[in-house]
Amino acid sequence: MAALPDRIRSLLFAPAVRPDLIRKMPAVGADAVVIDCEDATPVSAKDSARSDAAALATEIGGEVPTLIRVNDVDTPWFSDDIASLPDTIAGIVLPKVETVAGLEFAAESLTTAGRPDLPVIAGVETALGVADARELLRHPMVSGAYFGAEDFVADMGGSRTADNHEVHHARSVVALAGRLAEVPVIDQIVADFHDDRRCQVECEQARALGYSGKLCIHPAQVAIANMAFTPSPEELDHARRLVSAYQEASARGLAAIDFEGHMVDEPVANQARNLLRLAPG
Ligand code: COA
Ligand code: MG
């Protein structure tokens, strides 16, 4: 079974009712993939999707880290979803987390199923989830999180726009909660999967906010996310030169310098150090 990486740059979804797409997922190049039994599975197929997801995860789980997105804790399907998890998964995605009690119930259910240590990526995608994200993400069961813009906006009674102003606050709140809980966070989907430019811009925005990666619904988005969340050779070179110039200046008793026309002080140097930590290999 392929294990989850610490930071997921691209998390590719396909519906449990689409074995054709799921069988293509290992070749796409995503850091991890999700077989979705939640919103991409119709209510009429919840039971068959559960067993199909388990069989498909067993098929592909050796090739790519594979997770199953179960239904949320308040649904009639949740307990059976957890009881039917195959051994071959690298974790689960738990959607619409809203309360600590719900997380406790999920933790107990995983323990009962004999999987107490299975990594859990929590979906923060409702008004209550965003409002309480700080408390939710620090639950010990949570090893990562995603921000779900579509559900969040639906719950707010708002509407999605191209400039994302309706999610600015929530997206930042989830990044902040992830930082405080020390768990990586994954950014919202781009539903318009033909719009590569939008995906690129959103990846850059998300990285700037501190996100580690992007939810992907289509193969084209995976390459964009992998590249956007990996520092480029130019960025790494710039960061190395900056840190070295700053170190030399520090040794001379300076803490604010002119580096190639920009002021560099301790926090600016720290941003460059953070970037260097993301260097591949
Ligand atoms: N995983 C793996 N392969 C995928 C894929 C996915 N999520 N989505 C599309 N593909 C494949 C297609 O099968 C096609 O393969 P081919 O070149 O061998 O024919 C190729 O990528 C191009 O796909 P395209 O024709 O552009 O898209 P589509 O019309 O087949 O599918 C969607 C579009 C949106 C229906 C599909 O991408 C999808 O279901 N995505 C996931 C949705 C989901 O899980 N949502 C819930 C989580 S937010
Ligand atoms: Mg959702």
Side-chain angles (χ1 to χ4, degrees):
M1 182 198 79
L4 275 187
D6 289 342
R7 288 174 66 86
I8 297 171
R9 298 167 305 169
S10 51
L11 185 60
L12 175 65
F13 281 70
V17 293
R18 294 291 306 272
D20 55 328
L21 299 187
I22 290 165
R23 291 194 175 105
K24 289 178 192 174
M25 288 205 290
V28 173
D31 284 345
V33 303
V34 181
I35 300 173
D36 188 23
C37 294
E38 198 223 6
D39 285 345
T41 290
V43 167
S44 59
K46 291 293 186 190
D47 291 326
S48 58
R50 182 184 303 123
S51 49
D52 290 349
L56 287 160
T58 301
E59 235 182 276
I60 67 168
E63 296 175 73
V64 61
T66 302
L67 300 97
I68 289 179
R69 181 161 76 171
V70 298
N71 291 285
D72 79 67
V73 292
D74 292 326
T75 64
W77 309 293
F78 173 77
S79 294
D80 287 338
D81 287 351
I82 296 291
S84 311
L85 293 173
D87 291 338
T88 42
I89 49 170
I92 62 164
V93 177
L94 186 63
K96 300 185 181 70
V97 302
E98 291 202 306
T99 62
V100 172
L103 288 175
E104 289 296 329
F105 179 62
E108 282 163 26
S109 305
L110 283 170
T111 301
T112 306
R115 312 297 296 277
D117 299 323
L118 202 57
V120 174
I121 296 181
V124 183
E125 48 192 343
T126 61
L128 186 55
V130 170
D132 290 348
R134 184 176 175 184
E135 191 184 6
L136 296 169
L137 296 197
R138 71 173 181 227
H139 190 283
M141 181 183 66
V142 172
S143 53
Y146 71 85
F147 171 58
E150 311 306 317
D151 273 303
F152 172 71
V153 168
D155 193 28
M156 292 295 291
S159 51
R160 288 291 278 130
T161 68
D163 79 356
N164 279 325
H165 68 267
E166 70 284 1
V167 294
H168 277 160
H169 175 70
R171 215 174 160 199
S172 301
V173 163
V174 173
L176 181 66
R179 156 69 188 87
L180 291 172
E182 295 185 350
V183 296
V185 284
I186 307 172
D187 189 42
Q188 65 198 16
I189 62 152
V190 173
D192 189 356
F193 60 88
H194 293 300
D195 193 343
D196 289 355
R197 177 78 196 135
R198 175 164 182 169
C199 186
Q200 175 73 37
V201 168
E202 286 202 10
C203 286
E204 286 163 14
Q205 291 169 345
R207 197 178 125 185
L209 283 171
Y211 279 89
S212 77
K214 189 107 180 121
L215 300 178
C216 300
I217 53 154
H218 189 275
Q221 299 178 336
V222 169
I224 295 170
N226 285 349
M227 185 170 281
F229 287 96
T230 307
S232 67
E234 294 76 23
E235 286 174 300
L236 290 170
D237 179 58
H238 179 266
R240 280 193 197 100
R241 286 188 290 108
L242 185 155
V243 169
S244 130
Y246 185 69
Q247 266 168 357
E248 278 170 30
S250 301
R252 286 184 278 116
L254 294 173
I257 60 168
D258 169 359
F259 175 72
E260 299 177 4
H262 292 269
M263 189 281 291
V264 173
D265 62 1
E266 190 61 24
V268 178
N270 277 338
Q271 290 167 27
R273 291 181 187 117
N274 288 341
L275 189 130
L276 291 174
R277 269 183 226 114
L278 300 180

